[in-house]
Each structure stands twice: as C-alpha cells, then as structure tokens.
C-alpha cells in the first residue's frame, strides 16, 4: 500500500480555490533554498500548487531530493494548506489519505487486479478485496513462492492505477521545453520563472528565515 501511495499525489481532494492559492504564491516564503527551488523548476515543477498535486516518486527523482526531503516538502505544504483550509491538518496527513485510499480498495474485489485464478487461490484471496492484498507486505507475498518481485511491481502499479482512476495527477512540464529556442512556450516559462524568482527574493528579504524550519529543508 505504501508503495502504491508513492505513485499517487501528495494530497487528495483539494479544492480548486486552495490549489489556485498555492499556485499564486509560487514557492512561498521560506520554502527550501534558492538552489533547491531552482532544481524543482528545472525539473518541471512550477509552484506549490503543482507540487501538492504531484507524486512523491516524481519529486524524489529530482537531484538532491529523496524520501526525507519529500516528507519535509509534504510537511511544509500541509502547514500552508491548513492555514487556508479548515480541517486539512487532520484530513490531509499521509496516514489519513492512505486510510481513505484503503477504504476505496475495500470496495473492489481482488480479481480487479491482474492476478491469474491460480494465483488468487494460492494467495488465499478468493472473495477478498484489493485492500486485503494491499495490506500484505512484499516479503510475505514473496514467501508464498507464487509471485516474483516483478509480479509485485506490476501489482503495485495496478493498485496505483485503480486508486488514481478519475483523480488527476499533475504532470510536470517537459524538461526540454525551455531549451527550444524562439517558441512562445519558452518565453512564457522564462517570464513566469523570473516573476516567481523575484517574488521569492522579495519575500525572503521582507521576513527573517525560520532557522529550525529551514534546516530541515535546506
């Protein structure tokens, strides 16, 4: 289940107004260092609204980002969202989102996944749900001798696809788009990047950095 969640957005069911507020703030005040913000922008992540709708796996692929820094990003975003959205601090935690996703899987039979009938029988999943499989560990399933590591990768992808149906995952801008000369898209990207960078500088100059918080994100 944890693996499937890394392929789904950091947050779910955010209102359009909340996403617009996040996007309008660029990367906000005191978020990461200038060099790390630049890495995110270069990788195609436009602003906080975009990050909130992106997957942990996609963010972790950016150089100098990994699981620990992704969690720091998630915490910063949650603080920002909670200031504008009542109840978000309880509803939008990683555990709360995972539990809602698991509840959706409880309504889906295990044969919705790409399992052969003999595999379903051998794994004891007759009449079971997708949640029953999702709650079993990778090691436990490997020890049955019925599934290989690549089989489990496929099932994780299946779970993520089932959970993501009808829910948009924000796509990154193509990294090479900014390198195509003399295009309107390139000019628009450069203009927005300059605007956001200037906004970052103004905000950082206006407010002292929060030492403890920046230490986690720098």
């Amino acid at each position: 289940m944890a693996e499937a969640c890394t392929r789904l957005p950091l947050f779910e069911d955010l209102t359009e107004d909340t996403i617009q507020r996040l996007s309008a703030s660029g990367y906000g005040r005191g978020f990461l260092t200038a060099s790390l913000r630049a890495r995110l922008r270069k990788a195609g992540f436009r602003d906080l609204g975009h990050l909130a709708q992106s997957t942990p796996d996609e963010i972790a692929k950016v150089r100098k980002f990994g699981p620990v820094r992704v969690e720091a990003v998630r915490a910063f975003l949650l603080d920002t969202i909670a200031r504008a959205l009542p109840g978000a601090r309880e509803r939008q935690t990683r555990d709360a989102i995972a539990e809602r996703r698991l509840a959706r899987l409880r309504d889906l039979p295990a044969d919705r996944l790409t399992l052969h009938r003999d595999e379903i029988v051998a794994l004891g999943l007759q009449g079971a749900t997708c949640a029953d499989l999702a709650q079993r560990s990778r090691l436990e399933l490997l020890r049955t001798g019925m599934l290989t590591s690549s089989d489990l990768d496929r099932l994780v992808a299946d779970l993520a696809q089932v959970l993501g149906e009808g829910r948009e995952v924000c796509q990154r801008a193509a990294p090479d788009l900014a390198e195509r000369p003399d295009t309107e898209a390139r000019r628009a990207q450069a203009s927005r990047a300059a605007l956001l960078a200037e906004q970052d500088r103004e905000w950082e100059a206006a407010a002292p950095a929060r030492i403890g918080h920046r230490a986690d994100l720098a």
Side-chain angles (χ1 to χ4, degrees):
M1 185 62 187
E3 289 185 66
C5 285
T6 65
R7 306 187 187 198
L8 296 165
L10 285 171
F11 299 97
E12 283 191 346
D13 305 324
L14 294 178
T15 66
E16 186 61 31
D17 180 62
T18 300
I19 293 171
Q20 288 179 0
R21 284 173 180 267
L22 290 170
S23 296
S25 69
Y27 275 136
R29 185 180 303 188
F31 177 62
L32 302 174
T33 62
S35 63
L36 290 174
R37 292 196 301 269
R39 288 187 187 280
L40 286 172
R41 289 197 182 107
K42 186 176 180 181
F45 296 97
R46 299 184 297 271
D47 47 47
L48 293 182
H50 193 170
L51 277 176
Q53 299 172 86
S54 300
T55 73
D57 270 359
E58 284 295 315
I59 299 170
K61 289 176 183 176
V62 180
R63 186 167 173 261
K64 293 205 172 183
F65 281 78
V68 173
R69 189 158 275 148
V70 168
E71 287 308 305
V73 169
R74 188 198 303 270
F76 180 89
L77 280 165
L78 182 56
D79 283 345
T80 306
I81 292 167
R83 285 196 290 271
L85 195 62
R89 197 169 298 282
E90 295 75 28
R91 182 171 175 75
Q92 293 294 341
T93 64
R94 181 176 58 175
D95 290 344
I97 292 171
E99 183 54 42
R100 289 200 300 276
R101 288 169 174 168
L102 199 59
R104 297 204 296 271
L105 291 179
R106 292 189 185 105
D107 294 329
L108 299 172
D111 57 14
R112 174 77 179 270
L113 305 174
T114 53
L115 283 167
H116 299 299
R117 185 175 298 276
D118 57 340
E119 291 174 331
I120 290 176
V121 172
L123 295 171
L125 293 174
Q126 308 99 307
T129 68
C130 291
D132 295 318
L133 178 65
Q135 289 179 292
R136 296 172 69 175
S137 73
R138 177 179 281 263
L139 183 59
E140 177 188 355
L141 291 169
L142 283 173
R143 283 175 173 168
T144 65
M146 287 298 300
L147 300 172
T148 65
S149 184
S150 60
D151 290 332
L152 292 179
D153 290 340
R154 169 176 51 83
L155 288 175
V156 168
D158 284 350
L159 288 170
Q161 182 176 358
V162 167
L163 285 167
E165 286 177 357
R167 295 170 184 266
E168 183 176 353
V169 176
C170 200
Q171 298 298 316
R172 290 184 296 162
D176 65 340
L177 188 60
E179 299 173 6
R180 298 173 189 166
D182 303 320
T183 66
E184 184 177 346
R186 179 178 180 271
R187 288 193 295 271
Q189 274 195 341
S191 176
R192 176 156 175 77
L195 176 64
L196 293 175
E198 180 61 26
Q199 191 177 61
D200 287 346
R201 285 192 292 271
E202 290 175 357
W203 281 346
E204 288 178 359
R210 289 170 290 174
I211 302 300
H213 188 72
R214 183 176 289 279
D216 291 334
L217 296 176

